[in-house]
Structure formats: C-alpha cells, structure tokens
Amino acid sequence: PPVVYSRCVDDSLREVVKKLRERTNMYKERAIDPYATSPEISPPVSKWTPVMFCQLVISKFPSFPSFQSNTQYRRYIAWLTVVSVAFNYNIWFTPVRLVFPIHTPVTIPFWIIVDIIVDIVNVIDVVLWQPRLQFVKGGDIIKERSLTNIIPFDLLGVLFGFSAVFRLNRLLRIESFFEFSDRLESIMAKAYIWRVGRTTGYLLFMLHLNACFYYMASEYLGINSSKWVYNGQGTAYLRCYYFAVRSLINIGGLPEPGSVFEICFQMTNFFVGVFVFSSLIGQMRDVIGAATQGQTYFRASMDGCVAYMNMFYIPDLVQNRVRTWYNYTWDAQGMLDESELLETMPLVMRTAIGVDINFATFDKIALFQGCDKQMLVDMLLRLKSIIYLPGDFVVKKGDIGKEMYIIKGGEVQVVGGPDNSIVFVTLKAGCVFGEISLLQSAKDGGNRRTANVKAHGFVNLFVLDKKDLVEILVHYPNSQKVLAKKGRKLMKAKGPAAAKAEEDKKKGLALFGPKPPTPKLARVFGGFGKGGFLEKLKVQFSNSILFFSHNRFIWQKATYTIEISDRGSCFSPTFLQAAQAKENTGNK
Ligand SMILES: Nc1nc2c(ncn2[C@@H]2O[C@@H]3COP(=O)(O)O[C@H]3[C@H]2O)c(=O)[nH]1
C-alpha cells in the first residue's frame, strides 16, 4: 500500500482528482452530443414541414414585433377601429336587411358599394395586417389568420338574387371587435367610459335584434292581421324598435297577444328582458361602481378614521391635520398607498414602473454617483412614498437615523437655532437628506441626526429604510465603499462640528471666525492669557518665509512682523498685501 504521510493532504488530492475526472467526462459527453448537457438549446429539426416553409415565407416580410413601439401600437389600434366599424356595419345592418323590405332597386346599388368598401377593409386586414401580427399566446408567438370570414359568398347573389344572407360569414369577424375593445381599454386613461359605452351598445343591439324578430313575426302572422302585430303604419323599423323597448324593458302598455304564437313570443320577450337585460344593467352598475371604487374607498377610509378620532376625543387640531393629509394625498396621487398597487404586480413590472418613473431622478443624485446602476434599481424597488404637511418635522436633530429621504415633490428646510428660526438650506425635488446619520455607524453616536429638517409646504418624499439599504449594499461591495467614503466626507462637512459653526455664524456669534489654536511657539511658553508666560509675542523677520495661504504654499522674501497673541497670529498688513499680489501673479 502507498505510504500516506498526511491523511488530510491525501484526502484533498483525491478529491481534486475526482473532480477533474468528472469534468473530463462532462466535456467528453458534450463533445459527442452537444444537446445532452445543454438543454437550453433545442436540436435543429432536419425535415422541412409545410408550416416551416410558410413561416419562412412570412418571415421575409416585415412584421410587428409584439408592439414594442408605442406608435406602432397606436397605429394598430387606429386600424382596428376601421375594422371594427366594418364589423359593426355588418352586424347591425345584416339582420335589418334580412327582415325589413329595404332592398329596393333604388337602394341596392348603394348597399353594393358600401358592402364592397367594407369587404376591402376586411380583406386588407386578413391578408396584409393579420399575417404580420405577432400575438403572444400561452408563451408562444403565433400568427393568426382566418380566411373563412372573407369568402365572397355574395357572388351567389348573381344566381339566387341579391340578399344579405350571403354576408352572414362576415359576422365571424367578431374577434376583431373584441380585439379592438381590449386594445382600446389598455390605452385609455379612463377605460370605464368605453366600457359603459360598449355595454350601452349591447343593450341597444338586443333591442335592435328584437325589433327585427318582431317584424319577422308580424310578417309571418300577416301585417295588421291582429292588434298585437305591427300594423304597417309609419316607419316600420322605428315602430318595431319602440315595441321592443316597451317589451324587453317590461314597461308594459302593450297590446295583449291573442294567438298561441303571439303569447309565446311575448313571453320569450319578457324572459329575455328579465334575464338578459337585468344582467346587462347589472354589468353597467358594476362598470360604474368599478370606476368610482377608488373614490368610495377613500371616503370610507377617511370616514372610518374621523369616527375613530372622535371616539377617542382627539383634539380638533390633530383631526384637521389628518383630514388635510387625506385630502392632499388623494388629490396628489389618486390613492392613499401606492405600494398597495405595486405589491400585487410581478417584480419585472414593478421594476419597469419604478425605473420609468424615478430612475432619471435617482441617476442625477450626487450621493449615488459612482454607484452600481443595478443597485439604484434595487433601491427604487424598496422606496416607499410618504406625504408630509406644511411645518411637519421630517427629521429631528439628535434622533437615531433609520431612514433617508429623497424629495419627490415640494421643498424641505434644514433648520436650527433657537425656535428653529434659522434656515440653513432649502432642499428641492431630487435632493437627498437624512443620509449623514444613515451612512455612519452607531459608534460614537454617528448615527444621530445632525440637523432638523422641516417640510416647507406639502412635500412628497421617498423613504429608504436603513435595513433595506444595508440589505442591498451586501450585494454591491464597491458601491458600499463609495457610499461609506461619501458618508465620512458629509459628516466632516455637515456633521455636528460643522453644523455648530454654521449655526454660530448664522447667529452672528462668530463674527471673526472661530478662535484659532494657540501657536506652537507660544505654547512652549505656557500659552497666552492669565496663567501663561506671554502676553503677546512679536517677532520680526528679515528673511524668506514659506507660508500657507488660500490652500497654497507661498515663498516670500521680505521683512515682516508676526504678532502672536491670545487672539491668534497675524501678519503685518503690508506683508499680506505683498503675498496677495504674488499669489495673483500665479507665482506659487
Ligand atoms: N447638518 C447638516 N445637515 C444638512 C445640511 N444640509 C442638508 N442636511 C441634511 O439634514 C439631515 C439631517 O439628518 P442627517 O444628519 O441624517 O442628514 C442631514 C443632511 O442630509 C447642512 O448644511 N448641515
């Protein structure tokens, strides 16, 4: 047996050999059958089928690629409108033409002309539009074509006489009407208007059909043969439609049916009226209900909240603020909680909406410059929208920072001083605040708010939780570093020390700027002031000096005096002038 010096090394080597062997086998297998280990590639089919041939021919023509472009989609809907007008012509006029005596030698040429125009529309649709359309159905892109509904059976009229019966196959194009209706709804801002119109159309069409049946029944029984049938006076269609309205809507006041046929017809009408009409009217109520559903929900929420506040004797001032918040939120965004709507959507849709609405704003935020774009998208998805009323404190100095804010609309003010009367800065839409304490660690109280931030007017904010930010940053270490660095810089620039100086400056306390530290030389002598050895140190130089001014080192050859005192050090004015002149010439 082989000598084993180290069991651990031996085991590791064996493991490596095993893995290498597995890898070699996998590659061997792949070399023999490329599809066995790559199920995502479907093997090519070698045999040509007629369907494949048709697909190849059609693919040579330009097709609408699933309506990626909005203009293309709108153009398609415009075309569908024309097709649906053609369909409506057929569905409304065919029964009338079949029943009422409106095909006269005078009118027939007109009917033929309109029929031809409508048929041309259908032919263009079926032959030119439909084959180029791609519908995604059940995950597959399929091409829809049906030629049956445009076969010109009308030509049989040459043999059997002109009749609308040969146009019945055109009614099979009902799909195009539903297609039009669906697509129109999808682009309308107030789709319920179209739904109400469509349901009204269904009601009118039912009455229209009933009018045709009534005329047919009257003709079958003999016009004016009894009190119940149409008496042949006035405009036939109008009289019959009037009968249908009274009969189907169960208004009553109709002549009593006498014969069995009349009674059966009338009874059927009543039943249809009760079932079909009531369901259509119910549908209409649903459509209108759905359209005002949001408003009803808002009213119910606000009433519930007001009732609750009254029950617990909440002061009027607070109640008014709550009411104002409800009204403003509803007016501003048409819903109380946007996230409720987005939560029901799949992630991909939420991302699309979030990116579309907010990415441009996000991308411009200085704090996030240099961060991963994907990280910004992740952040967009975690944002919550919130509205503050005028004067509300969004952030209070000294509180623990658990959220940061991005201004969506309105303004906030960073305030301080007594009564928070000093406005340090006003931040507008697209600005970020609350990030300083969020980006600092809890060590040394770095996570405390460094200033008060107040809503100036109504303000709409996006809130990002620290928890969410941390969760996101785990996946983006580089962005984490960028943000941490920016956080430290911000803390230096705007943190407690800077904020104090700013506050003092605004208050007018630091008229001459902050007191500089005691110079080194003076410190050697125990410093200035009462306990110190020095009152004032005056040094005269007649040599060169390298000094630092306006962020630059300046080399100056001159005679000058430096006075060092309790209030800091100062150069003689002549020297400062000379230094300034030198600096301006660019001689550094
Ligand atoms: N301290 C300070 N904060 C500011 C200033 N301008 C904007 N702010 C914001 O006010 C916020 C208060 O809370 P944070 O300290 O978390 O983060 C702060 C900054 O985002 C400023 O000049 N000073």
Side-chain angles (χ1 to χ4, degrees):
V3 183
V4 176
Y5 291 104
S6 158
R7 171 69 44 205
C8 172
V9 172
D10 192 62
D11 284 350
S12 309
L13 283 173
R14 268 173 214 287
E15 188 61 27
V16 170
V17 169
K18 193 177 143 208
K19 279 191 179 153
L20 281 171
R21 215 169 265 153
E22 275 173 12
R23 223 163 74 122
T24 316
N25 284 340
M26 192 187 77
Y27 281 119
K28 265 190 201 163
E29 202 179 309
R30 209 177 260 190
I32 298 162
D33 178 4
Y35 305 104
T37 46
S38 315
E40 70 277 8
I41 310 168
S42 31
V45 183
S46 51
K47 273 189 185 168
W48 275 96
T49 60
V51 175
M52 281 168 62
F53 181 73
C54 291
Q55 277 173 350
L56 183 79
V57 172
I58 288 165
S59 68
K60 297 289 168 207
F61 293 98
S63 64
F64 299 106
S66 308
F67 309 116
Q68 292 299 335
S69 117
N70 206 20
T71 341
Q72 222 170 44
Y73 191 50
R74 282 175 190 269
R75 209 178 298 154
Y76 176 54
I77 292 174
W79 172 249
L80 274 180
T81 314
V82 177
V83 177
S84 107
V85 168
F87 169 76
N88 272 284
Y89 163 79
N90 284 327
I91 201 155
W92 284 79
F93 282 100
T94 308
V96 180
R97 287 164 68 181
L98 280 173
V99 174
F100 288 89
I102 48 176
H103 278 175
T104 59
V106 183
T107 58
I108 282 176
F110 294 106
W111 286 116
I112 291 175
I113 291 169
V114 184
D115 285 352
I116 289 172
I117 294 171
V118 164
D119 286 352
I120 289 172
V121 170
N122 281 332
V123 169
I124 293 175
D125 185 50
V126 173
V127 176
L128 291 178
W129 279 80
Q130 297 297 328
R132 295 162 68 215
L133 287 175
Q134 294 181 346
F135 293 89
V136 178
K137 280 190 181 167
D140 281 337
I141 294 177
I142 59 154
K143 315 263 179 187
E144 273 217 348
R145 280 170 307 285
S146 167
L147 297 171
T148 16
N149 46 40
I150 52 157
I151 298 173
F153 289 117
D154 310 51
L155 296 177
L156 293 173
V158 180
L159 292 178
F160 303 103
F162 183 72
S163 167
V165 78
F166 303 122
R167 297 189 59 77
L168 284 175
N169 64 328
R170 310 296 197 277
L171 305 189
L172 295 173
R173 302 229 64 214
I174 193 157
E175 275 268 325
S176 62
F177 175 73
F178 290 133
E179 170 83 3
F180 161 73
S181 171
D182 291 348
R183 304 270 168 194
L184 189 68
E185 266 184 30
S186 69
I187 57 158
M188 278 181 79
K190 290 187 174 172
Y192 70 90
I193 296 177
W194 162 245
R195 286 189 206 125
V196 169
R198 192 184 53 195
T199 314
T200 313
Y202 291 159
L203 283 171
L204 297 179
F205 185 69
M206 289 301 293
L207 294 169
H208 171 79
L209 276 187
N210 199 260
C212 294
F213 283 128
Y214 176 62
Y215 187 85
M216 214 159 75
S218 302
E219 216 175 26
Y220 170 72
L221 295 173
I223 304 279
N224 206 15
S225 61
S226 72
K227 267 207 287 176
W228 183 82
V229 295
Y230 166 57
N231 59 11
Q233 287 169 7
T235 314
Y237 177 76
L238 193 69
R239 297 290 172 108
C240 292
Y241 202 90
Y242 181 70
F243 170 88
V245 171
R246 299 198 80 146
S247 173
L248 278 188
I249 304 182
N250 292 315
I251 293 172
L254 294 162
E256 275 301 312
S259 68
V260 176
F261 180 87
E262 289 172 1
I263 291 173
C264 288
F265 190 98
Q266 192 57 54
M267 236 160 42
T268 316
N269 260 7
F270 285 143
F271 284 133
V272 170
V274 168
F275 292 115
V276 179
F277 259 69
S278 55
S279 75
L280 281 177
I281 288 168
Q283 205 174 318
M284 187 91 95
R285 196 207 55 197
D286 288 350
V287 170
I288 294 168
T292 52
Q293 194 182 16
Q295 191 72 30
T296 317
Y297 166 74
F298 163 69
R299 281 266 137 243
S301 305
M302 190 158 138
D303 290 351
C305 184
V306 169
Y308 176 84
M309 289 191 296
N310 282 333
M311 198 165 74
F312 289 100
Y313 303 108
I314 306 288
D316 280 354
L317 188 74
V318 178
Q319 290 208 20
N320 278 340
R321 286 179 68 77
V322 173
R323 267 195 221 108
T324 315
W325 177 85
Y326 262 102
N327 285 324
Y328 181 79
T329 310
W330 184 257
D331 287 346
Q333 53 192 36
M335 61 188 78
L336 294 178
D337 187 4
E338 274 180 333
S339 55
E340 244 175 49
L341 181 86
L342 295 174
E343 264 163 23
T344 51
M345 282 186 193
L347 183 68
V348 63
M349 299 294 161
R350 263 188 291 155
T351 313
I353 292 180
V355 168
D356 210 51
I357 301 175
N358 305 318
F359 190 78
T361 320
F362 248 68
D363 207 25
K364 279 190 220 123
I365 294 173
L367 180 70
F368 301 132
Q369 303 278 313
C371 291
D372 197 308
K373 299 266 179 226
Q374 183 59 43
M375 187 203 90
L376 299 188
V377 174
D378 282 5
M379 259 161 82
L380 285 178
L381 296 175
R382 313 269 184 132
L383 293 179
K384 282 177 214 107
S385 174
I386 186 164
I387 286 174
Y388 280 89
L389 303 190
D392 273 356
F393 274 90
V394 185
V395 157
K396 281 254 177 154
K397 190 172 172 178
D399 285 356
I400 305 284
K402 293 180 201 143
E403 290 128 357
M404 63 179 269
Y405 303 86
I406 295 140
I407 307 173
K408 192 171 161 192
E411 286 179 0
V412 295
Q413 289 179 329
V414 181
V415 291
D419 314 327
N420 291 310
S421 51
I422 303 167
V423 178
F424 293 121
V425 65
T426 301
L427 305 173
K428 298 196 169 145
C431 291
V432 176
F433 66 92
E435 76 290 14
I436 297 182
S437 52
L438 199 80
L439 297 174
Q440 297 302 309
S441 68
K443 265 191 275 163
D444 317 323
N447 61 341
R448 299 246 170 212
R449 298 288 189 198
T450 55
N452 291 318
V453 181
K454 208 166 118 180
H456 186 223
F458 286 99
V459 59
N460 200 342
L461 304 172
F462 284 127
V463 188
L464 180 68
D465 256 26
K466 185 169 191 165
K467 190 170 79 41
D468 290 336
L469 184 68
V470 171
E471 268 175 33
I472 294 167
L473 287 177
V474 167
H475 305 286
Y476 303 94
N478 286 341
S479 302
Q480 190 174 13
K481 274 184 210 150
V482 172
L483 284 181
K485 203 171 154 193
K486 287 192 178 184
R488 279 195 297 275
K489 256 192 187 168
L490 280 168
M491 192 63 168
K492 248 188 209 164
K494 295 179 179 176
K500 176 87 180 54
E502 181 79 358
E503 203 169 311
D504 287 350
K505 204 168 139 197
K506 292 252 169 174
K507 276 192 240 163
L509 295 182
L511 195 60
F512 303 104
K515 184 178 165 184
T518 309
K520 251 189 190 167
L521 184 64
R523 252 191 274 145
V524 175
F525 296 99
F528 304 103
K530 276 181 192 159
F533 173 74
L534 291 167
E535 273 298 298
K536 199 182 220 178
L537 184 74
K538 204 167 178 181
V539 192
Q540 186 148 24
F541 293 91
S542 53
N543 209 331
S544 307
I545 184 172
L546 179 71
F547 71 97
F548 189 71
S549 164
H550 293 80
N551 287 339
R552 289 183 189 93
F553 282 104
I554 299 177
W555 186 248
Q556 178 73 39
K557 224 175 186 179
T559 303
Y560 44 82
T561 317
I562 305 178
E563 270 186 30
I564 304 168
S565 73
D566 195 11
R567 295 203 42 85
S569 49
C570 88
F571 292 97
S572 56
T574 42
F575 168 77
L576 282 177
Q577 271 168 17
Q580 187 69 46
K582 191 142 205 176
E583 197 184 340
N584 289 345
T585 57
N587 186 354
K588 291 163 200 155

